[in-house]
Every structure is written in C-alpha cells, then in structure tokens.
Amino acid sequence: LSRDGLRDVPLVRHPGYDADAFWAPDGKSVVFTSMRSGGLGLWRIRVDDGKPAGPPEVVNANIGRSFPLGLASDGSYYYALRTGMVDVYTAELDPATGQVLGKPLPLSERFIGSNMQPGWSPDGQYVAYISRRRPVGYDAVVIRSLKTGEERDILPKVRFGGSGPLLWFADGNALMVTGYDPKKGGVTYYRLDLNTGDVTVLLASAAGKLTQHPGLSPDGKTIFHGFRDAAATVRTSR
C-alpha cells in the first residue's frame, strides 16, 4: 500500500496459506511464511517500486510449528518454536475413590497434538472438541461418538478463542463456542448448530471489555462469565 493510499498492489497470489509478512531491512524484499512447500516454510519475494519483482523464493522450506518474532537490522529472522503437544485424553475413574484406573489414552488418532477444549454431551454419549488444522487458529469442531468412535467435523466460520471446554445446550443439538474478533479485539459467544453448522451471536464484548471463563445455565438461557475492563484492569463476574 502506497503512503498516499492510492495504490494497493498484491505481492503474493497463491491458493495456499501465506501469512506473517515483514520488510527486509534494506526495503528491497518482503519475507513471509507459507505452507506451499508442505510444512510451514519461510519465503522471500523481491519488491521494486512497490510491486513484485519476480516469483517468491524459498528461504527455509520447513521451520516447524512456529510463530514470528521479527527481523533484526542485520536481516536475521527470529521466531519462536512450538515444541509441546496438546491433546485430548480419556481415562477411566473409580467413582468411589476418584482414582484413575489404567493409563489415559488419546481420544482420537487424528491430528495428534492439535486437539483441545473437550466437552461432554449431556447424555454422555459424545465428546466435542476443537481441532487445530493450521499453524495458527483453530479450524474444526469435532463431534466424536464414544459408542462407535465415528467423528464428524464441523467448520464454522468463526475464529476460535478462549481455553475452556465446549459447552453443550441441553437438547444436544448445539454448542456454545467462544470466538475472537481480531478487528474489534473482543470475545464473542456463539451458538453453533450441530445439524447445520450455522452460528448465531449470543453475546459480544464491547471494545476494551473482555469476557472470559464462560458457563452456560442448564436451560441454555443464561451465560455466566468473568469480565475484565482492559483499561481499568478491574475484574468482576456476571
């Protein structure tokens, strides 16, 4: 984008995942991350007069599960590497003593290390969880049958946020999911219809007013949540 706002030129046109663009110190190229080589890689494209000067070039084909920290003045690229794994496990408990019986086992064999935020259905027959399908962001809500092991993916058009479990409505046909709007910087609670995949807004945070740690009443008519004023750093509950 030119400084006067009159010219806006795309540098990269590709159907794959491209993100995290940084200018090189000399202003003659832009580096960015991309999955066009399979794993998450680091690429560079030369820029002349605000326009691409040739095709992108690979710098490092696979930098692992990482997120960028920035470019130093000498051109060094700094990034943080995610090495841990997060997953959903189940374990059998002794109801009388509360002791774990046996070794906890992964709930699913798909996308190992990328599954989180499980929530039990009201009848105890299903588990819903979020499965991350890209280096950033959570892409799918998965409904797993404990009886058959069958899994169904739902891809709602929201950017997931929060860290608590998915919350089921009493009829078992919908979930309350937490979304994050990067433009507004706020959290929104949605009702996700498990039959259609449609989402409707239940509660949206005002700018600078952050909600957290939600709970859902048994009748599905009331949301309980923490509340934080980002400016005043005051925390309350509602």
Side-chain angles (χ1 to χ4, degrees):
L1 178 66
S2 60
R3 290 180 59 183
D4 57 15
L6 299 179
R7 186 174 63 167
D8 192 359
V9 180
L11 286 181
V12 178
R13 296 180 183 271
H14 191 270
Y17 173 83
D18 298 312
D20 307 322
F22 293 92
W23 279 101
D26 61 7
K28 296 181 179 180
S29 62
V30 168
V31 297
F32 63 96
T33 57
S34 175
M35 294 192 70
R36 64 184 65 198
S37 57
L40 185 67
L42 185 66
W43 290 69
R44 176 180 64 188
I45 185 168
R46 299 187 184 280
V47 180
D48 183 20
D49 191 28
K51 296 178 291 186
E57 306 166 342
V58 63
V59 177
N60 187 318
N62 193 340
I63 56 176
R65 297 172 59 225
S66 63
F67 59 92
L69 299 178
L71 277 168
S73 58
D74 65 357
S76 300
Y77 179 76
Y78 286 84
Y79 60 95
L81 190 63
R82 295 184 176 97
T83 57
M85 295 179 65
V86 177
D87 221 318
V88 177
Y89 288 78
T90 58
E92 185 178 355
L93 298 178
D94 183 330
T97 65
Q99 297 297 313
V100 178
L101 305 177
K103 183 180 179 181
L105 300 174
L107 178 68
S108 175
E109 296 181 354
R110 299 194 307 155
F111 299 95
I112 293 174
S114 299
N115 307 316
M116 59 202 71
Q117 297 178 236
W120 293 92
S121 65
D123 60 8
Q125 299 300 308
Y126 298 89
V127 174
Y129 65 91
I130 291 176
S131 183
R132 182 172 58 194
R133 303 293 170 82
R134 295 182 297 172
V136 293
Y138 307 121
D139 291 348
V141 170
V142 182
I143 308 298
R144 180 181 177 88
S145 168
L146 297 179
K147 182 178 180 179
T148 66
E150 181 181 358
E151 293 190 331
R152 179 164 59 96
D153 293 352
I154 304 173
L155 305 175
K157 294 181 179 180
V158 296
R159 179 173 176 178
F160 296 115
S163 58
L166 295 177
L167 303 175
W168 290 74
F169 283 84
D171 61 7
N173 292 318
L175 295 171
M176 189 177 87
V177 299
T178 304
Y180 176 74
D181 188 337
K183 295 181 179 179
K184 297 180 180 179
V187 169
T188 301
Y189 298 132
Y190 297 93
R191 183 185 186 275
L192 170 62
D193 189 307
L194 299 183
N195 298 310
T196 65
D198 295 335
V199 292
T200 53
V201 175
L202 298 174
L203 176 66
S205 299
K209 311 293 184 180
L210 306 178
T211 63
Q212 52 195 356
H213 311 304
L216 187 64
S217 64
D219 62 7
K221 296 181 179 180
T222 305
I223 298 173
F224 301 92
H225 61 90
F227 176 77
R228 180 164 64 90
D229 188 318
T233 319
V234 175
R235 300 188 182 192
T236 58
S237 60
R238 290 182 173 177

